[in-house]
Amino acid sequence: MQKFTLIPVTTYKSLYRYMLLLLCILMVSSCNVVKRVKAGDHLITSNEILEDSIHVSDERINNIISQKVNSGMRKFLGFPLKLHVYNLARPNIDSIINANVLSDSTKVKRRIALLSKKQFDKQIESRRDFNAWLKRTGEAPVIYNEDQTIKTSKNLRKYYYSKGWFNNEVTYNVEKDSTKLAKVIYNVTKKKPYILDSLKPSISSPAIDSIYKKLIKATLLKKGEQYDEQNYENERERINTYLRNAGFYYFGQDYVRFEMDTIDTNHKINTDLIIANRTIRGDDSTTTTPFKIYKIKEVNIFTDDNFENRFRAISDTTVHKGFTLYSKDKLKFRPKALTDAVFINAGDNYSDLARSRTSRYLNDLQMFRYPNIDFIENENDTTLTANIFLEPKKKYALSFDPEINTSNIQTIGFSFGTGLKIRNVFRGAESLEISGIAAIGASKTRNVLEDSFFDINEFGGNIRLTIPRLFSPFNTDKIIPKYMSPNTIINLSATSQQNIGLDKQALSGIFSYNWFPSSTVTNSVDLFNINYVKNLNTSNYFGVYTNSFSSLNSIARDIGYIDSDASLYDESLTNQYSPADIFINDVLSGNTSLTSSDDDYLSVNNIEERKERLTENNLIFSTSFDYKKDKRKNIFDNDFSVIKWRIELAGNLLSSISSVTGNTKNDAGNYEVFGVAFSQYIKTEVDYVKYVDLGSKNVLAFRSYAGIAIPYGNSNSIPFAESFFAGGPNDNRAWTAYNLGPGSSQTTNEFNEANFKIHLSAEQRFSLLGSFQGAIFIDAGNIWNVLDNVTEDAATFTNFNSLKDIAVGSGFGIRYDFDFFVLRFDTGFKTYDPSLDQNKRWFRDYNFRNAVYNIGINYPF
């Protein structure tokens, strides 16, 4: 059920007026950017850095400039919108109000008599508030300040120095004009860089010196490379990480330093790597001692530590594989479930990596609040005791989700969902989630008044079991180590719908493995994924797909099968064969004037094939693999890439079993299981997204997607649920969902789908005012049929020439950032429409009247 379908309607003439008015305002305002610039001051319109006379476009270097130009000065058509908003504010609003209103007692009395004292005060206050809002929302003009320019020059010199140009020179010149505008140009002369020549160790602690050869193998400081200060910082971090993972518990990054010699070296750098001894500071003295390797002596796990029972004594102690588990109540977990989550082992050297992996795994279990790991140094030796404190979450969690909604098929609907989560259900840190949903609604097509007002209903239930390991009869630790946080998910669900489409009943089951090889990579295998869909009301097909019925009805009238004012409509919809079905059968059996060479005959045949496919019951038994690599560091990162790949194989196991057992085929030549012909296909999808941060809240985003599903064996087509569609707010935004394609066909189907898809998008996002953001975008792509039972040339991908049917849409968008989500409004225009004649495809419907308006939540990709 599709929810919240909102399509704003705006007339072309109104939008034209608004756009013309906005254009006039921009033209008038653009001549007055220095409105609030005082005499003798100059507004900075541009900053330019020339590196050996070559313009520098690197955003990282340009960010060094202290005085940035006003936002929008070089972007969004060169229009500094925020500056103009600020200029609308009055700098002396109180004086203006006093001079124009408050100083005239007669005017004040007249307005109070007209409005009342309270409303008069509110009116005055609202003028002050609006003026303050303009200042707050806008942006004050950036006035040239020589001190800031000198500061920028120094910072540029420091930057180029940090990159190896020790003798660089930075100068600047300012171009001021009589219109209070200024341009600042920074000239950087780099000169000859310095090169790393030697790296000499000076290590005080014998234990560290003994492993220096291993430590230095992966050094980031390479002989012959140009000096880069960041490489030295990264090398300090690398050495620190290496030593702390090698057992040096008290080691810190501050103990590593570099001393460089560049005197009379002919632009070469000789570097001393100095690692000092440990410093121990007492109350009134400081001593130094060599660093030592610390080993883990014992690991203790406190399984029910919390504030309430902090004074209670331990009552249950369990020892399992070298771990000691303490509980103040009876131990509620199987020992293995907890010890498998711990990577800190007695006898091992101390390791930050083992500590972080343990913390991550315990958090991934979602059984405990803020797991805490402490290390205590034991007296008289170099060992540590690791104490792990766990505070279990509540065993049961109940959720409720009521909702009121509307959609394209119902006037109003009510739904209620509830869920119960049971933690540690089998004492192995498993989670069992049981949820259900019940919904009722009033359909928009309800015609019989005697029927119940709420004639739509949907019921469903779901059971999900999460096991924090790979549930398998085989030992998989060597293939997928436990530090990858593997888990197994078993999911069962069932739904039933009435008066929604063809009234479906669906059953599904999933058995999947998931693991995380690194912080950026996620892998998932659906070992078994079973979906069974049964259509209960196939006689309502033409009631749902009304465009197909209209086409049939028109053909029947044209050939005289029915009278011009008659209809192939069966009001009862209770017969096994409706008049529309009978008409299709007569056409395909040769009982009408149509022959197989007629276009109308082919149209009827296509409608029948589509009807058979969309009304048949589906059984899909598949196995799939998903790979995802997400390089995004956090939600504020705007310079990253994400790649997803999926491959799915369906029906192979059932086909092999049917063949081995000698199962008979049906009249169509397909095997059946429980009376349903199962689907057999291979499907793969690749999705790549790239964000490029252009600075100043400007982001360039790209997306490329390709997917194909090829039927074979027991199938000659792809189930509707597994096919591809095009259009919609997250696809090609110049077409509504399911309205684009296939290929160049001029289909009128409600839901266009196919088994091959290509999609490309590019979008530039920029800041407007406050939380408002803008975007311009271009989308390209389409869907086609390939290697299946569809024979229509216009809908089929035959060779690379079919790429000329790629549809192109472009447009703009306005977004509002609520911090926790983004509300998006995009307007898409049909730039290239492949369904039109070859000479009419470009810019034929490129106007607001034929635009598509999309409302969405968050970004499209």
Side-chain angles (χ1 to χ4, degrees):
M1 181 186 298
Q2 185 180 357
K3 300 177 181 178
F4 299 108
T5 304
L6 302 174
I7 304 177
V9 179
T10 307
T11 64
Y12 172 75
K13 290 183 178 180
S14 297
L15 280 170
Y16 177 78
R17 292 193 194 102
Y18 293 146
M19 294 296 291
L20 186 60
L21 177 61
L22 178 60
L23 182 61
C24 292
I25 293 173
L26 296 183
M27 292 176 65
V28 173
S29 300
S30 62
C31 301
N32 201 23
V33 292
V34 294
K35 182 178 180 180
R36 302 300 179 199
V37 178
K38 298 177 181 179
D41 289 340
H42 289 79
L43 174 73
I44 299 180
T45 59
S46 71
N47 290 303
E48 186 176 10
I49 300 174
L50 298 179
E51 183 183 282
D52 292 334
S53 301
I54 299 174
H55 173 75
V56 175
S57 58
D58 190 328
E59 187 69 24
R60 178 180 50 182
I61 299 176
N62 280 278
N63 280 335
I64 296 173
I65 297 173
S66 297
Q67 277 195 296
K68 306 290 195 302
V69 298
N70 285 98
S71 58
M73 189 69 75
R74 290 294 182 183
K75 302 176 179 71
F76 192 46
L77 305 178
F79 180 71
L81 180 61
K82 290 185 178 181
L83 173 58
H84 285 301
V85 171
Y86 182 89
N87 285 342
L88 291 174
R90 299 297 186 94
N92 54 341
I93 186 66
D94 289 329
S95 299
I96 294 174
I97 292 175
N98 186 66
N100 294 341
V101 182
L102 298 181
S103 62
D104 189 340
S105 58
T106 303
K107 184 183 292 187
V108 172
K109 289 179 181 179
R110 188 186 312 120
R111 291 194 179 185
I112 291 176
L114 180 65
L115 299 174
S116 82
K117 180 67 166 63
K118 183 177 181 181
Q119 289 183 346
F120 173 75
D121 291 341
K122 283 187 175 181
Q123 186 183 69
I124 297 298
E125 190 61 30
S126 66
R127 290 184 62 177
R128 292 192 179 100
D129 290 344
F130 179 67
N131 198 75
W133 178 84
L134 290 174
K135 287 186 175 181
R136 187 171 59 252
T137 305
E139 189 176 79
V142 178
I143 305 300
Y144 171 73
N145 183 306
E146 188 169 13
D147 290 339
Q148 294 294 325
T149 305
I150 294 172
K151 178 182 177 182
T152 298
S153 299
K154 291 179 179 179
N155 289 339
L156 283 171
R157 173 154 171 67
K158 289 179 182 178
Y159 172 79
Y160 283 94
Y161 183 97
S162 73
K163 296 301 178 182
W165 291 286
F166 293 170
N167 301 320
N168 75 81
E169 292 181 357
V170 179
T171 61
Y172 67 88
N173 61 291
V174 184
E175 298 177 1
K176 300 178 181 178
D177 61 26
S178 59
T179 59
K180 300 182 182 180
L181 301 179
K183 296 180 180 179
V184 184
I185 301 173
Y186 299 91
N187 298 284
V188 179
T189 305
K190 294 186 295 185
K191 299 189 178 180
K192 188 175 181 179
Y194 278 74
I195 307 299
L196 178 63
D197 186 58
S198 65
L199 182 66
K200 178 182 176 183
S202 177
I203 302 173
S204 301
S205 300
I208 296 178
D209 188 55
S210 67
I211 62 171
Y212 175 75
K213 289 185 178 180
K214 293 181 179 179
L215 167 67
I216 208 62
K217 281 184 179 180
T219 182
L220 303 176
L221 305 179
K222 308 291 185 182
K223 182 177 180 178
E225 290 188 354
Q226 184 171 326
Y227 172 85
D228 189 332
E229 184 179 284
Q230 189 60 50
N231 283 345
Y232 281 77
E233 290 299 317
N234 293 341
E235 178 70 359
R236 291 179 72 226
E237 293 178 9
R238 188 194 70 82
I239 292 172
N240 178 65
T241 300
Y242 184 94
L243 294 177
R244 287 191 60 82
N245 286 328
F248 294 93
Y249 176 68
Y250 286 105
F251 192 83
Q253 189 169 302
D254 292 341
Y255 289 103
V256 181
R257 74 178 193 272
F258 299 97
E259 291 185 357
M260 294 172 289
D261 179 18
T262 59
I263 299 175
D264 298 328
T265 61
N266 192 24
H267 290 83
K268 294 182 180 180
I269 302 174
N270 298 315
T271 303
D272 289 337
L273 167 60
I274 300 172
I275 301 178
N277 279 330
R278 177 189 173 194
T279 300
I280 303 175
R281 292 180 174 83
D283 294 335
D284 53 6
S285 63
T286 299
T287 60
T288 59
T289 183
F291 281 102
K292 299 176 182 178
I293 294 176
Y294 280 78
K295 291 185 175 293
I296 305 299
K297 185 176 184 179
E298 56 183 350
V299 182
N300 303 315
I301 305 174
F302 299 87
T303 64
D304 54 0
D305 180 75
N306 57 51
F307 184 79
E308 287 76 12
N309 65 12
R310 62 191 182 281
F311 298 122
R312 290 180 56 189
I314 300 294
S315 63
D316 189 357
T317 302
T318 304
V319 177
H320 180 76
K321 292 185 176 180
F323 299 90
T324 305
L325 293 83
Y326 297 100
S327 302
K328 296 181 179 180
D329 292 313
K330 185 178 180 181
L331 181 62
K332 297 178 181 179
F333 294 84
R334 289 201 302 272
K336 187 178 187 304
L338 298 182
T339 58
D340 277 356
V342 178
F343 296 85
I344 305 166
N345 298 293
D348 289 352
N349 291 342
Y350 168 82
S351 168
D352 274 355
L353 182 61
R355 181 177 188 165
S356 62
R357 283 177 173 174
T358 300
S359 181
R360 174 189 168 188
Y361 200 119
L362 289 170
N363 278 298
D364 287 345
L365 290 178
Q366 298 185 18
M367 295 284 130
F368 310 102
R369 292 187 181 91
Y370 317 116
N372 183 33
I373 305 173
D374 286 343
F375 290 89
I376 300 174
E377 182 181 1
N378 298 305
E379 296 182 359
N380 303 322
D381 60 12
T382 54
T383 63
L384 300 169
T385 295
N387 294 322
I388 303 173
F389 299 94
L390 305 175
E391 180 184 353
K393 295 181 179 179
K394 291 183 179 180
K395 186 176 181 68
Y396 301 98
L398 192 61
S399 63
F400 299 96
D401 184 22
E403 192 174 83
I404 302 175
N405 53 68
T406 183
S407 74
N408 58 342
I409 66 170
Q410 65 179 6
T411 305
I412 190 170
F414 302 90
S415 66
F416 179 79
T418 184
L420 174 65
K421 184 172 185 177
I422 308 174
R423 296 185 177 90
N424 195 34
V425 62
F426 301 121
R427 298 185 65 242
E430 307 90 353
S431 294
L432 179 65
E433 299 173 66
I434 304 171
S435 60
I437 185 174
I440 58 173
S443 67
K444 291 183 177 180
T445 58
R446 174 175 168 267
N447 296 317
V448 183
L449 296 179
E450 289 75 13
D451 290 349
S452 172
F453 178 76
F454 291 108
D455 56 339
I456 292 176
N457 63 67
E458 180 178 5
F459 300 95
N462 188 80
I463 300 175
R464 178 187 178 95
L465 177 65
T466 302
I467 304 171
R469 55 193 168 275
L470 297 188
F471 187 72
S472 168
F474 312 106
N475 187 348
T476 59
D477 288 346
K478 292 184 178 179
I479 303 173
I480 303 175
K482 66 177 185 177
Y483 74 80
M484 295 183 181
S485 298
N487 65 64
T488 303
I489 295 177
I490 302 172
N491 194 90
L492 300 173
S493 64
T495 58
S496 176
Q497 299 175 339
Q498 184 175 347
N499 284 337
I500 301 176
L502 303 180
D503 296 356
K504 295 182 178 181
Q505 288 182 345
L507 296 172
S508 67
I510 298 175
F511 186 98
S512 67
Y513 294 140
N514 308 275
W515 66 99
F516 308 89
S518 70
S519 59
T520 60
V521 176
T522 301
N523 288 335
S524 178
V525 170
D526 286 354
L527 202 59
F528 303 109
N529 190 334
I530 306 171
N531 284 282
Y532 172 68
V533 178
K534 182 179 182 181
N535 296 302
L536 303 178
N537 190 14
T538 57
S539 61
N540 190 37
Y541 178 82
F542 290 112
V544 175
Y545 300 95
T546 55
N547 287 349
S548 295
F549 175 80
S550 296
S551 297
L552 279 180
N553 209 53
S554 178
I555 294 172
R557 288 174 178 172
D558 291 343
I559 66 174
Y561 187 86
I562 59 176
D563 294 336
S564 59
D565 58 348
S567 173
L568 293 173
Y569 182 67
D570 181 6
E571 293 185 356
S572 66
L573 290 177
T574 56
N575 299 329
Q576 183 178 3
Y577 300 105
S578 69
D581 290 319
I582 296 173
F583 173 63
I584 292 174
N585 186 64
D586 285 344
V587 170
L588 300 183
S589 300
N591 295 330
T592 67
S593 59
L594 295 176
T595 64
S596 58
S597 61
D598 294 330
D599 290 341
D600 285 344
Y601 181 96
L602 296 176
S603 297
V604 172
N605 186 63
N606 288 338
I607 290 173
E608 172 62 10
E609 288 182 349
R610 178 176 168 83
K611 176 176 178 289
E612 287 297 318
R613 188 159 72 89
L614 297 184
T615 58
E616 68 181 359
N617 299 328
N618 294 131
L619 176 61
I620 304 173
F621 194 109
S622 67
T623 298
S624 64
F625 171 74
D626 287 83
Y627 171 88
K628 178 181 178 181
K629 186 171 186 178
D630 187 347
K631 293 185 177 181
R632 189 168 194 169
K633 298 175 182 177
N634 51 62
I635 61 174
F636 304 106
D637 186 7
N638 282 319
D639 200 339
F640 66 94
S641 64
V642 179
I643 185 169
K644 302 176 186 176
W645 175 61
R646 174 181 172 84
I647 185 168
E648 179 182 5
L649 292 169
N652 291 347
L653 180 61
L654 294 181
S655 179
S656 299
I657 294 174
S658 298
S659 178
V660 170
T661 58
N663 191 10
T664 58
K665 296 184 177 180
N666 59 19
D667 295 339
N670 297 325
Y671 291 118
E672 292 184 347
V673 175
F674 303 122
V676 180
F678 57 85
S679 299
Q680 190 170 9
Y681 59 84
I682 180 172
K683 180 179 182 181
T684 186
E685 301 168 81
V686 178
D687 193 356
Y688 177 75
V689 172
K690 174 65 178 176
Y691 278 39
V692 180
D693 192 345
L694 302 178
S696 302
K697 297 183 179 180
N698 276 255
V699 177
L700 191 59
F702 301 93
R703 184 194 181 199
S704 57
Y705 172 90
I708 187 171
I710 302 175
Y712 64 96
N714 210 54
S715 299
N716 57 14
S717 64
I718 299 299
F720 180 83
E722 296 295 330
S723 58
F724 303 104
F725 73 92
N730 297 321
D731 198 79
N732 198 321
R733 284 160 278 186
W735 281 261
T736 56
Y738 291 99
N739 195 39
L740 174 58
S744 61
S745 60
Q746 297 178 345
T747 177
T748 57
N749 293 326
E750 289 86 354
F751 302 100
N752 294 309
E753 39 76 41
N755 66 325
F756 176 48
K757 177 176 180 177
I758 295 175
H759 176 74
L760 303 166
S761 278
E763 178 172 288
Q764 183 172 2
R765 302 163 188 166
F766 47 86
S767 175
L768 287 177
L769 282 175
S771 296
F772 282 99
Q773 299 174 354
I776 54 175
F777 61 82
I778 182 168
D779 302 320
N782 208 334
I783 55 173
W784 295 266
N785 289 92
V786 59
L787 301 175
D788 63 359
N789 61 350
V790 175
T791 58
E792 183 183 357
D793 290 340
T796 305
F797 190 96
T798 53
N799 51 49
F800 285 109
N801 289 330
S802 298
L803 294 177
K804 70 179 184 297
D805 295 334
I806 287 181
V808 180
S810 57
F812 61 90
I814 301 293
R815 291 86 189 269
Y816 189 86
D817 191 348
F818 287 93
D819 291 334
F820 51 94
F821 75 93
V822 174
L823 180 63
R824 173 167 52 92
F825 175 68
D826 290 334
T827 302
F829 302 93
K830 293 180 177 62
T831 308
Y832 178 85
D833 188 348
S835 67
L836 302 178
D837 295 338
Q838 287 278 2
N839 61 341
K840 298 181 179 179
R841 293 184 174 184
W842 285 100
F843 301 104
R844 278 291 165 172
D845 295 320
Y846 203 85
N847 51 59
F848 284 101
R849 185 186 301 277
N850 295 294
V852 173
Y853 301 96
N854 301 277
I855 287 182
I857 302 297
N858 293 327
Y859 295 110
F861 56 90

